[in-house]
Amino acid sequence: MLGQQSGEMVTALATDGWFRILLAEFARLNAPKLRYSSAEALTDSERAVEQAIRWFQTQYMLPVSIDKLAASLGYHRTHFTKVFKQLTSLSPKQYINQVRLERAKELLRTNLSVEQVGNSCGFTDPLYFSKQFKLWTGESPSQFREGLRR
């Protein structure tokens, strides 16, 4: 009985360790690429952009209204877009598309259809998804997937 409990404890510790490594890698890959160091105090605008980035990275599959997002953060769309672009070098729309297309590249490694991948990443129109993917990567989703198989 003691051996079984010891084995379960080792398994639980190993699982916890792998989970922490996975979370650390996720945080590293998804950290916002803003132009200030973490030692600097953030302005309200920078905090709002960080919040938007976190929202984009976790809710990329949902429809997004930049107007509503900016308003929910207490900003007018024009000001929010200007600050966002200053800090990330992308507009909010470009940023969310980048997040969605990065996720699509990951999902194209699975057995999901191209249409399912597009839907999972927030693209309701499969043709629009394919067009955006090709503009971003230079290949259609099907060509990208075929390249992975080679």
Side-chain angles (χ1 to χ4, degrees):
M1 188 70 174
L2 184 60
Q4 183 181 3
Q5 286 178 338
S6 177
E8 288 172 0
M9 191 162 98
V10 168
T11 301
L13 288 172
T15 302
D16 184 54
W18 283 111
F19 182 68
R20 289 174 187 262
I21 290 170
L22 179 66
L23 285 177
E25 185 65 9
F26 180 77
R28 185 185 67 77
L29 291 174
N30 291 298
K33 311 284 191 285
L34 300 177
R35 294 183 186 155
Y36 54 85
S37 73
S38 58
E40 296 176 21
L42 300 180
T43 66
D44 289 341
S45 296
E46 290 167 337
R47 256 192 289 296
V49 169
E50 267 197 346
Q51 284 180 293
I53 287 171
R54 279 194 297 275
W55 189 88
F56 288 151
Q57 290 174 344
T58 59
Q59 306 297 320
Y60 60 87
M61 71 295 292
L62 300 175
V64 62
S65 162
I66 304 304
D67 283 328
K68 288 180 182 176
L69 178 62
S72 74
L73 295 168
Y75 292 92
H76 186 274
R77 176 192 172 106
T78 306
H79 178 71
F80 175 74
T81 300
K82 178 182 174 187
V83 171
F84 193 97
K85 193 163 187 167
Q86 285 174 341
L87 295 172
T88 65
S89 72
L90 297 171
S91 72
K93 183 72 174 163
Q94 289 169 325
Y95 191 91
I96 188 68
N97 273 345
Q98 178 180 310
V99 170
R100 288 174 171 167
L101 293 167
E102 279 293 329
R103 180 65 179 138
K105 284 174 65 176
E106 295 170 21
L107 290 176
L108 285 168
R109 298 174 192 281
T110 69
N111 291 329
L112 294 174
S113 71
V114 171
E115 184 174 357
Q116 288 171 324
V117 169
N119 284 333
S120 297
C121 295
F123 294 96
T124 55
D125 179 354
L127 295 176
Y128 180 73
F129 165 63
S130 292
K131 182 178 178 181
Q132 291 299 306
F133 192 90
K134 186 165 186 165
L135 284 171
W136 191 64
T137 64
E139 317 179 273
S140 70
S142 299
Q143 290 169 328
F144 179 82
R145 179 175 271 165
E146 187 60 36
L148 293 172
R149 291 183 182 143
R150 288 185 216 138

